[in-house]
Amino acid sequence: QVQLVESGGGLVQAGGSLRLSCSASGRTFSSYAMGWFRQAPGKEREFVATIMGSGGYTYYADSLKGRFTISRDNAKNTVYLQMNSLKPEDTAVYYCGADPTGSSWHDFGYWGQGTQVTVSS
């Protein structure tokens, strides 16, 4: 069982930045694939970014490349999402997900409770 706890969400003006954090349980965190999805009101959950365990290879939604950066600190069992140049359309609940097998960049078996990000215009 993997427990995930997100933090760092909040209200920010357009053009601003936020860094989300996701703390994970487990002794083999370094091998987990970790990612972020988001869900805006009335919309389906969409992929944001993933960072793999071995090698730290990253995947991004095409529309977010250049503004969002995913990273991890294996010593702290934590994954981060740095979000820059935020836009009102980035407003959503952001969810952290984990694949402890480390094999999938988008099929996560474990999810956090989500953290709200609101970008005002």
Side-chain angles (χ1 to χ4, degrees), residues 29-99:
F29 173 81
S30 62
S31 65
Y32 296 178
M34 299 292 298
W36 293 92
F37 279 65
R38 69 184 184 183
Q39 187 165 19
K43 295 187 177 182
E44 294 186 353
R45 189 176 293 194
E46 65 173 352
F47 170 71
V48 174
T50 291
I51 184 165
M52 304 304 286
S54 57
Y57 193 85
T58 56
Y59 299 85
Y60 292 94
D62 287 342
S63 62
L64 301 176
K65 286 180 181 177
R67 293 197 299 123
F68 288 17
T69 303
I70 190 170
S71 62
R72 65 192 299 156
D73 184 338
N74 290 332
K76 295 182 178 180
N77 277 27
T78 301
V79 64
Y80 303 98
L81 184 68
Q82 178 67 44
M83 305 184 294
N84 298 328
S85 302
L86 283 163
K87 305 175 181 179
E89 51 263 43
D90 294 318
T91 295
V93 177
Y94 285 70
Y95 296 92
C96 172
D99 170 27

Side-chain angles (χ1 to χ4, degrees), residues 5 8 11 22 28 38 48 55 77 81 84 89 91 94 100 105 107 109 111 117 119:
V5 179
L11 174 64
C22 174
T28 59
R38 69 184 184 183
V48 174
N77 277 27
L81 184 68
N84 298 328
E89 51 263 43
T91 295
Y94 285 70
W105 64 271
D107 188 12
W111 294 94
V117 172
V119 184

